[in-house]
Amino acid sequence: MAEGGKENLPGGRQGIIPINIEDEMRGAYIDYSMSVIISRALPDVRDGLKPVHRRILYGMLELGVNYNKPYKKSARIVGEVLGKYHPHGDSAVYDSMVRMAQEWSLRYTLVDGQGNFGSVDGDSPAAMRYTEARLRRLAEELLADINKNTIDYQPNFDDSLKEPTVLPAKIPNLLVNGASGIAVGMATNMAPHNLSQVIDGTIAYIDDNEITIADLMKHVTAPDFPTGGIIYGYTGVKEALETGRGRVVMRARADFETTKTGKEQIIVTEIPYMVNKASMIEKTAALVNEKKIEGISDIRDESDRTGMRIVYDLKKDAIPNIVLNHLYKYTQLQSSFGVNNIALVKGRPQTLNLKDLIRYFVDHRHEVVVRRTQFELEEAERRAHILQGYLIALDNLDEVIELIRNSRDPEVARVDLMKKFDLSEIQAKAILEMRLQRLTGLEREKIVKEYEEVMLLITDLKDILDNKGRRMEIIKTELTEIKDRYGDERRTEIVHSADDLTIEDMIPNEEMVITISHEGYVKRTPLTEYRTQSRGGVGSKGVSTKQDDFTEHLFVASTHNYLLIFTEFGKVFWKKVYAIPEGTKTSKGRAVQNLINIEPGDKVRAVINVDNLTDEEYINNNFVMMCTENGIIKKTTLEAYSRPRQNGINAITVRDGDKLLEVKLTNGKNHIVIAKRMGKAIHFNESDVRSMGRMASGVRGVTLEGDEDKVVGMVCISREDANLLVVSEKGFGKRSSIEDYRITKRGGKGVKTINVTEKTGKLVAIKEVIDSDGLMIINKSGITIRMEVEDLRVMGRATQGVKLIRLNENDAISSVEKIEKIEVHEDEHQGDDASESNASEDDKEEKE
């Protein structure tokens, strides 16, 4: 050994043990994090308290500041807790005690504070030397029976005292008051609930341990916040109760009032939980000044000791509902509570649902009842033992008195009593300590009666210990007493939002006309708004558009259908028809960019109706057929498009200089007809096109002739009695038999489908039609005309056709769609005369 007792190590180091710093830091950090998790930040699932709160309540009990005793200075209480149990800063203890006294922080306060304990405006409480406190009566229910060996104790920080590891907790405090805390690597944020509802749910669980969470939610419907307000939407609540995690949307309670002068006001009387009222008003005023919220002329806080009242004065032209919705959107009048039910279960953090929380509380109460009953049984047996000794002494009174009188000292008397009357040491001691007045006849009767009562009590206590059903009944009885004494009505109202309900159940399955304009405005309109007109009519005003905008897509769909929206760049988006904004025939609609995340410069080119995207057989046996302007065609199974993302997915890889033009839903056995701008069309079997992957670019469908030639449309022939309808840009159209178009291989130039002249203009549309179909024709100025296909007779494919719609100079047809025939009234302004005159003109044109 070296001098000083230090061992000489190589390299001149003395008494140094080399360790790996990584291992040391890992170990030290794990120890620290476990300490934070278990001893600071997370509540125990049994009593719902963190160590600091438990120590405060226990310290106040030890100090004797019960609910029916005088208040004591907060500094005195804090000192008691600091010195005995909680070796941290005084502010940590005082702040925790203050929060337990604030009615806007805890649903059921546990501390009765006297003095300034802060405010909902975020004002700080007075210093602890100025305030006073005592326990609430409800807090004493958490501490009840603590001295009956119901819980375990542990040494305090210096091993000089014992402190409880948990409180007996007659109330399910974790559910009732909630908790929040940030540990290391995890956090908890548990919402408060209504005591009456929680107790009803707990009793329901005791009655049936197999009860489902859905059935428990009939009792515990939702969180119940101390500040009241409104829970808006039930989806997040349901998730939180079922899984332990969810987002609860809270709204302020607001009403509309009108002053004597006629000024309209929004009056807020309850705000969301944990919102600072003063800060919220200040931020709202800033938003009003910045013109981010319109329609508010003044904001005042008229709250007083009778309750909260925030007044928003509205400008003359403001609509209260719209202003309130803006307040909900931009201010803390609407906020959310992120539920994260993490609590300590046997020292380990766990995420707990509603049933878990109730189950662990009931298990805890059961253990408390067992230990309390065992304690009371031992006490009763001890008392019975002493009373037995009294009765023996009274039965042998003269001998006992004689023996005691002749004994030299109490110790000799005790030993002699034990020997002579076969008594235990405890009994002999009790007899020696018995007062002479107990020897009277009346007192003897009292002892006999007490002994009988104690023996009955012992029998009862043993029955409780032997019978779990009785123990559960005791828990239920105690819970019912708690509910009767402290239960109250819910403060927070539940309002179901649109998201909670099955939308299909609320929206009738109606036929809608979907219109998408050239500049990307979309809307849906009930089909019944469109009136049938005779062929050649002038038409009725259909869509109010900007001067350079016009309707590009128009089709009919049911409100419950899915829409697959395809864009020029080859992307596809998913939308339900009912999610498309509804508008009138003349309304503009909403920009499609507000409904789907379409890229800048992209535009909608085709939309297909799909009945169902979840039926495996349906999506695997139907195909999406796509055609581009340059005549490229591609077929892919519908299944590949059954899971679109919010930002869309690629439907086809579009080559440079090309764009997606038409998309159709097919069954794999159809015939395909592709028409070109210069008046030709090609007819081939769908089976000529093999199915490809989503990212493929496709194969040649038709060959273009000249720079001006482009594909104008593609149809999939699926009906045997169908004809082909073609329409030119100057309003000429006709229908021809499909048999007139011979079947060829894909990729050819096609055959003539309409005789394109300067009078007819170039081809703009091709449709598959039957007699029962209707037609909707729209020109670029927004005029629509509806007519029936049966009014058009079948002609040869090479003819010019007849005039379908009269156009103003410089106008042209932009869109043609077929619709199912629906019986609606004819336009009042179009009579038979007009029909006949138009028909005669058409006959002349057809002969030409």
Side-chain angles (χ1 to χ4, degrees):
M1 293 287 290
E3 187 181 350
K6 293 184 180 179
E7 186 182 349
N8 286 320
L9 298 174
R13 293 172 296 159
Q14 292 185 336
I16 297 172
I17 301 169
I19 59 169
N20 186 317
I21 190 169
E22 186 180 331
D23 293 339
E24 179 64 18
M25 289 185 72
R26 184 184 289 113
Y29 192 73
I30 287 172
D31 290 344
Y32 161 72
S33 61
M34 288 306 296
S35 171
V36 171
I37 289 167
I38 295 167
S39 304
R40 192 187 305 178
L42 299 186
D44 192 294
V45 72
R46 296 169 292 177
D47 62 3
L49 297 172
K50 299 181 192 176
V52 64
H53 301 116
R54 192 177 299 118
R55 287 163 176 167
I56 289 168
L57 296 179
Y58 184 65
M60 291 176 78
L61 180 73
E62 291 279 282
L63 204 56
V65 281
N66 299 68
Y67 78 96
N68 52 0
K69 301 285 179 63
Y71 294 93
K72 267 194 168 60
K73 282 285 184 185
S74 297
R76 175 76 178 83
I77 297 167
V78 170
E80 176 84 2
V81 175
L82 274 184
K84 288 184 175 180
Y85 310 114
H86 199 68
H88 299 278
D90 58 355
S91 61
V93 177
Y94 184 53
D95 289 350
S96 297
M97 190 184 81
V98 163
R99 188 173 182 276
M100 286 196 286
Q102 292 176 336
E103 292 184 349
W104 59 92
S105 294
L106 256 66
R107 180 64 178 83
Y108 299 90
T109 54
L110 302 175
V111 172
D112 182 5
Q114 183 167 267
N116 174 13
F117 274 76
S119 75
V120 74
D121 287 326
D123 298 322
S124 300
M128 58 182 158
R129 61 183 179 273
Y130 299 119
T131 61
E132 297 177 337
R134 65 183 176 189
L135 288 169
R136 287 268 183 200
R137 193 176 182 185
L138 186 68
E140 295 190 25
E141 303 290 359
L142 288 173
L143 294 154
D145 302 324
I146 197 168
N147 296 321
K148 291 186 178 181
N149 193 33
T150 50
I151 50 142
D152 294 327
Y153 286 80
Q154 65 189 13
N156 71 339
F157 59 89
D158 62 358
D159 283 0
S160 61
L161 295 166
K162 296 285 187 183
E163 63 171 313
T165 56
V166 67
L167 299 186
K170 271 190 181 179
I171 60 172
N173 184 55
L174 189 57
L175 265 170
V176 164
N177 272 326
S180 65
I182 300 170
V184 178
M186 65 187 72
T188 185
N189 201 33
M190 304 183 70
H193 294 78
N194 182 268
L195 178 64
S196 300
Q197 288 194 339
V198 170
I199 288 176
D200 287 343
T202 307
I203 290 172
Y205 169 78
I206 293 170
D207 289 337
D208 176 15
N209 289 170
E210 302 303 316
I211 191 170
T212 63
I213 295 176
D215 287 334
L216 281 174
M217 285 164 59
K218 294 174 183 174
H219 303 284
V220 187
T221 52
D224 189 25
F225 299 108
T227 52
I230 293 166
I231 289 173
Y232 182 68
Y234 201 67
T235 307
V237 173
K238 190 167 179 286
E239 283 178 9
L241 294 176
E242 287 178 344
T243 67
R245 295 175 70 93
R247 180 172 167 271
V248 179
V249 178
M250 304 175 292
R251 280 186 166 183
R253 186 177 299 280
D255 297 297
F256 304 132
E257 288 184 10
T258 306
T259 63
K260 292 177 182 177
T261 58
K263 181 181 286 187
E264 290 191 285
Q265 298 175 321
I266 296 173
I267 310 295
V268 171
T269 52
E270 295 172 5
I271 61 173
Y273 184 46
M274 301 298 284
V275 168
N276 183 315
K277 174 162 64 74
S279 172
M280 180 192 74
I281 293 171
E282 187 180 329
K283 288 175 183 174
T284 305
L287 289 171
V288 171
N289 291 335
E290 292 166 9
K291 307 290 186 192
K292 288 185 179 176
I293 297 178
E294 301 282 351
I296 296 175
S297 60
D298 189 25
I299 306 173
R300 292 187 308 282
D301 186 0
E302 297 181 357
S303 307
D304 56 22
R305 66 180 61 191
T306 61
M308 186 181 294
R309 182 180 166 89
I310 308 166
V311 180
Y312 298 83
D313 285 335
L314 303 186
K315 294 178 181 175
K316 280 185 180 180
D317 56 346
I319 301 167
N321 255 321
I322 292 175
V323 175
L324 181 59
N325 284 333
H326 277 95
L327 288 170
Y328 283 144
K329 184 174 181 180
Y330 296 112
T331 76
Q332 285 184 297
L333 282 190
Q334 175 173 309
S335 62
S336 62
F337 187 95
V339 175
N340 190 15
N341 292 343
I342 294 181
L344 295 175
V345 180
K346 296 178 183 175
R348 290 176 173 270
Q350 284 187 24
T351 302
L352 306 164
N353 60 32
L354 175 62
K355 188 174 179 180
D356 294 334
L357 290 166
I358 291 174
R359 183 175 80 246
Y360 287 122
F361 169 75
V362 171
D363 291 347
H364 173 57
R365 277 309 294 170
H366 181 257
E367 184 186 346
V368 167
V369 169
V370 169
R371 291 178 65 164
R372 181 182 69 193
T373 308
Q374 188 67 48
F375 176 84
E376 289 173 349
L377 177 61
E378 290 168 3
E379 288 290 303
E381 287 176 337
R382 192 176 293 116
R383 181 62 181 164
H385 185 60
I386 290 170
L387 290 170
Q388 280 176 335
Y390 283 163
L391 291 173
I392 290 169
L394 290 170
D395 287 342
N396 303 278
L397 188 57
D398 292 340
E399 292 178 64
V400 169
I401 292 171
E402 185 68 25
L403 189 150
I404 293 171
R405 186 187 295 161
N406 295 331
S407 297
R408 190 183 49 162
D409 57 37
E411 184 61 28
V412 173
R414 182 178 63 79
V415 173
D416 290 346
L417 282 171
M418 289 169 65
K419 284 180 183 176
K420 187 163 186 177
F421 300 106
D422 195 21
L423 299 173
S424 69
E425 186 177 345
I426 293 170
Q427 288 173 323
K429 212 170 183 180
I431 290 167
L432 289 171
E433 290 171 355
M434 188 166 62
R435 296 169 68 181
L436 286 174
Q437 73 176 33
R438 303 298 300 271
L439 303 178
T440 63
L442 199 58
E443 286 293 316
R444 177 189 169 87
E445 286 178 18
K446 284 183 180 176
I447 291 170
V448 172
K449 189 178 179 184
E450 185 185 353
Y451 178 71
E452 290 171 352
E453 288 173 353
V454 170
M455 292 311 293
L456 284 173
L457 175 62
I458 288 170
T459 305
D460 188 52
L461 292 172
K462 284 181 176 177
D463 183 60
I464 290 171
L465 289 173
D466 292 339
N467 188 341
K468 187 176 181 181
R470 278 206 64 194
R471 298 196 292 272
M472 288 301 173
E473 283 301 319
I474 288 169
I475 295 171
K476 284 167 62 176
T477 302
E478 289 178 350
L479 286 170
T480 305
E481 288 171 358
I482 294 285
K483 178 186 172 184
D484 293 341
R485 186 176 295 167
Y486 307 103
D488 57 3
E489 295 297 318
R490 281 187 63 86
R491 294 183 190 174
T492 306
E493 184 186 345
I494 304 165
V495 173
H496 290 270
S497 69
D499 295 339
D500 298 334
L501 304 168
T502 305
I503 297 179
E504 280 86 348
D505 293 341
M506 298 189 300
I507 297 176
N509 201 2
E510 297 176 334
E511 295 295 306
M512 292 282 169
V513 175
I514 309 293
T515 55
I516 304 174
S517 78
H518 179 71
E519 293 201 350
Y521 289 91
V522 62
K523 67 169 181 177
R524 63 183 168 96
T525 309
L527 183 60
T528 50
E529 277 204 25
Y530 289 85
R531 296 185 297 269
T532 304
Q533 285 185 267
S534 300
R535 176 168 61 83
V538 175
S540 61
K541 186 72 177 173
V543 185
S544 175
T545 59
K546 294 192 292 186
Q547 192 171 359
D548 55 348
D549 197 10
F550 55 89
T551 299
E552 198 165 88
H553 304 279
L554 184 146
F555 59 94
V556 175
S558 162
T559 46
H560 291 189
N561 283 8
Y562 297 85
L563 297 184
L564 290 179
I565 303 171
F566 294 82
T567 72
E568 257 185 18
F569 292 180
K571 276 200 158 189
V572 59
F573 297 86
W574 176 94
K575 210 76 184 165
K576 275 277 197 176
V577 170
Y578 60 67
I580 305 293
E582 187 170 352
T584 62
K585 252 180 27 165
T586 56
S587 65
K588 179 179 175 182
R590 186 180 300 179
V592 76
Q593 289 90 340
N594 295 337
L595 300 177
I596 59 175
N597 295 330
I598 193 168
E599 293 178 40
D602 200 1
K603 62 183 290 189
V604 174
R605 292 303 300 176
V607 183
I608 62 172
N609 279 337
V610 180
D611 292 335
N612 196 328
L613 279 178
T614 56
D615 184 343
E616 291 286 334
E617 187 177 348
Y618 178 78
I619 62 177
N620 283 308
N621 291 302
N622 281 276
F623 299 87
V624 174
M625 185 70 78
M626 285 166 274
C627 182
T628 73
E629 274 196 349
N630 288 348
I632 301 299
I633 192 167
K634 175 189 167 187
K635 181 170 78 171
T636 307
T637 61
L638 180 59
E639 193 275 337
Y641 304 108
S642 63
R643 298 175 297 277
R645 293 187 292 271
Q646 187 177 359
N647 292 326
I649 59 173
N650 287 323
I652 181 175
T653 300
V654 178
R655 299 171 186 176
D656 290 342
D658 199 0
K659 54 189 176 184
L660 186 62
L661 175 73
E662 192 79 78
V663 183
K664 298 290 182 187
L665 193 63
T666 73
N667 61 11
K669 301 171 184 175
N670 300 142
H671 288 192
I672 306 295
V673 178
I674 300 175
K676 299 187 291 182
R677 195 176 178 205
M678 302 308 291
K680 283 190 175 183
I682 188 169
H683 180 195
F684 57 88
N685 288 318
E686 183 186 339
S687 56
D688 286 358
V689 186
R690 61 180 175 82
S691 180
M692 307 175 198
R694 203 162 46 79
M695 301 299 292
S697 58
V699 294
R700 173 70 57 191
V702 66
T703 298
L704 303 181
E705 300 176 79
D707 293 339
E708 283 190 44
D709 205 10
K710 293 286 182 187
V711 172
V712 296
M714 172 187 73
V715 297
C716 296
I717 310 297
S718 57
R719 297 179 288 192
E720 291 182 6
D721 55 346
N723 299 132
L724 281 179
L725 171 81
V726 289
V727 180
S728 71
E729 61 187 352
K730 292 192 177 177
F732 285 82
K734 63 163 186 188
R735 62 173 173 145
S736 311
S737 171
I738 292 172
E739 294 173 358
D740 289 354
Y741 298 81
R742 72 177 187 275
I743 296 177
T744 63
K745 291 291 184 184
R746 66 169 176 83
K749 294 179 180 178
V751 296
K752 185 179 284 189
T753 184
I754 191 171
N755 193 23
V756 172
T757 64
E758 189 176 336
K759 183 178 182 181
T760 62
K762 294 184 173 59
L763 198 61
V764 292
I766 181 169
K767 302 291 170 190
E768 175 211 22
V769 295
I770 58 174
D771 284 348
S772 61
D773 286 338
L775 287 181
M776 193 80 80
I777 301 174
I778 303 184
N779 60 29
K780 292 183 180 180
S781 59
I783 300 295
T784 67
I785 183 168
R786 178 173 169 169
M787 58 185 298
E788 303 305 329
V789 169
E790 62 188 2
D791 290 347
L792 298 170
R793 63 177 179 271
V794 179
M795 316 176 192
R797 65 175 173 81
T799 57
Q800 175 181 277
V802 296
K803 192 136 195 162
L804 303 180
I805 184 170
R806 294 204 301 268
L807 298 172
N808 296 327
E809 195 175 349
N810 299 324
D811 204 357
I813 289 177
S814 73
S815 176
V816 179
E817 276 296 331
K818 66 176 181 185
I819 55 177
E820 291 180 12
K821 184 174 182 180
I822 296 176
E823 295 298 328
V824 287
H825 299 295
E826 291 199 353
D827 194 307
E828 295 169 5
H829 302 293
Q830 293 295 332
D832 293 331
D833 295 340
S835 300
E836 287 170 13
S837 62
N838 287 331
S840 61
E841 288 177 20
D842 291 339
D843 291 338
K844 293 176 193 171
E845 288 163 358
E846 187 184 333
K847 289 170 188 172
E848 292 173 13

